[in-house]
Amino acid sequence: MSRASPTRPDPRAEMEEIGYEIVYKPHEVMAKYNAFYNVEYDGQRIAPPAAERMNVPVNEVWLTELLRPYEKYVLHHELAEIEARADGCGVEEAHERALEADTVWEGDPKWGEFKREINLVPLDRVVALPGFDEELFDRIVTNRPYCDMDELLDVPDIDSERHERLCEEFWCFDCDL
């Protein structure tokens, strides 16, 4: 993040300084995406496909209301993605670069909690569990979003033992979709 201290980023202030509006939407609108943006950055319009599908106005960043307690982490991630996209990265590569930038939050207890939410957890956290591989992770992702950890029992190959491991490591927004 070029405009903030590397030890204490303030992504909301950075985004507002650039001219972005942060908009919270009901979770039922955002459940499949959690957050996205349609912005102008360094003379480029940058928007992932989800923002285009949802007709997000220019210079708005949308987040599900469930992410409000974790705003600084999400906005930091989104801003890192925007910067990577402006540097020429595609959507997936920008996401990976943003995940690397997210390490600035390591050691922050609230960040540790946030990283364990099942709808947001990345591949490496799941495949680190015994009995989980990329294929099973892909099935978990395909069935997102979850509003209850018991919904994971509907994912092929998630038996009671794997479900228990997931419940020990991760948690889920209570979203009542």
Side-chain angles (χ1 to χ4, degrees):
M1 308 289 85
S2 56
R3 294 182 235 335
S5 161
T7 57
R8 295 186 183 206
D10 186 349
R12 176 178 269 280
E14 288 183 63
M15 286 186 164
E16 289 173 347
E17 181 181 315
I18 296 169
Y20 301 159
E21 181 178 355
I22 292 123
V23 179
Y24 282 93
K25 294 290 186 176
H27 190 66
E28 55 269 9
V29 172
M30 299 292 295
K32 289 187 179 196
Y33 312 107
N34 294 307
F36 46 71
Y37 45 82
N38 179 12
V39 298
E40 299 227 346
Y41 187 87
D42 286 343
Q44 302 176 54
R45 189 176 79 69
I46 301 171
E52 293 174 2
R53 281 192 295 276
M54 300 292 287
N55 296 314
V56 175
V58 175
N59 290 333
E60 287 191 6
V61 178
W62 286 13
L63 290 81
T64 171
E65 61 197 357
L66 296 179
L67 292 175
R68 194 177 297 271
Y70 309 99
E71 175 183 279
K72 68 181 175 182
Y73 314 119
V74 177
L75 294 181
H76 180 266
H77 181 91
E78 298 301 292
L79 189 54
E81 273 191 13
I82 292 165
E83 291 173 349
R85 295 282 308 277
D87 286 343
C89 294
V91 174
E92 292 302 318
E93 185 181 358
H95 178 70
E96 291 302 316
R97 281 184 47 185
L99 289 173
E100 290 172 17
D102 290 343
T103 60
V104 70
W105 303 110
E106 291 300 329
D108 178 329
K110 190 85 171 167
W111 167 248
E113 172 186 309
F114 176 64
K115 287 190 339 181
R116 294 178 47 243
E117 204 284 332
I118 195 66
N119 293 297
L120 305 173
V121 68
L123 170 70
D124 63 324
R125 299 288 308 270
V126 175
V127 299
L129 298 175
F132 289 81
D133 58 17
E134 287 187 33
E135 196 173 301
L136 187 50
F137 176 78
D138 288 342
R139 284 195 293 279
I140 291 169
V141 170
T142 298
N143 287 286
R144 286 177 176 168
Y146 302 101
C147 290
D148 185 296
M149 290 297 287
D150 286 345
E151 293 174 23
L152 289 158
L153 289 166
D154 295 331
V155 175
D157 295 324
I158 301 283
D159 56 18
S160 60
E161 184 179 326
R162 284 187 172 126
H163 179 257
E164 187 176 323
R165 272 192 229 123
L166 289 169
C167 290
E168 288 170 358
E169 293 294 323
F170 308 113
W171 64 280
C172 184
F173 290 125
D174 180 13
C175 55
D176 293 327
L177 288 178

